[in-house]
Amino acid sequence: MKRDADAISAMMKPLKRTDVTELIVFRRIKKGIKWSEVAKKLGQSKEWTTAACLGQMQMTKKQAETLGRLFDLPADAVLLLQTVPYKGSLPTAVPTDPLIYRFYELV
């Protein structure tokens, strides 16, 4: 199944980090896995793991590969999990990253 996902991924437009988040959330629900179970496999707290899976934290290569196996993620998704996120990228009207928020206040 992973090979099929990688082949399909290669033919489609490049993945975005938000696509990876949606894929993780969908597969977690589909498999009936709790965030605390994912956290144990990654060796992190439930809070950190949830934030990382939702695109707000950077994973190590080992953590990203573990999550990739757990949710059958394509190779591109595993790579995106290892990139530094843009903090405050959750869909909100006012930026939540402290530095960006300060600039927002100035304007």
Side-chain angles (χ1 to χ4, degrees):
M1 184 166 147
K2 185 164 172 66
R3 279 189 181 172
D4 293 338
D6 285 338
I8 291 170
S9 176
M11 291 185 283
M12 296 172 44
K13 63 180 180 166
L15 280 176
K16 296 179 189 169
R17 186 58 184 89
T18 54
D19 298 330
V20 177
T21 297
E22 290 176 8
L23 190 57
I24 290 169
V25 170
F26 174 76
R27 292 199 175 156
R28 185 187 69 83
I29 292 168
K30 186 175 179 182
K31 291 184 172 203
I33 300 172
K34 296 179 182 179
W35 287 122
S36 57
E37 295 168 346
V38 177
K40 280 185 184 178
K41 294 201 182 277
L42 296 180
Q44 293 288 341
S45 70
K46 177 179 64 171
E47 295 77 16
W48 184 92
T49 300
T50 303
C53 290
L54 296 179
Q56 297 298 304
M57 303 295 282
Q58 178 182 10
M59 291 187 177
T60 65
K61 183 176 182 178
K62 183 179 176 184
Q63 290 167 333
E65 289 172 348
T66 300
L67 195 72
R69 284 190 300 275
L70 181 63
F71 292 123
D72 301 318
L73 300 175
D76 289 351
V78 172
L79 184 62
L80 284 171
L81 291 169
Q82 299 170 62
T83 60
V84 177
Y86 173 73
K87 298 285 185 161
S89 60
L90 293 173
T92 59
V94 177
T96 56
D97 180 88
L99 180 63
I100 305 295
Y101 180 77
R102 294 295 174 223
F103 286 126
Y104 185 84
E105 283 183 324
L106 290 172
V107 176

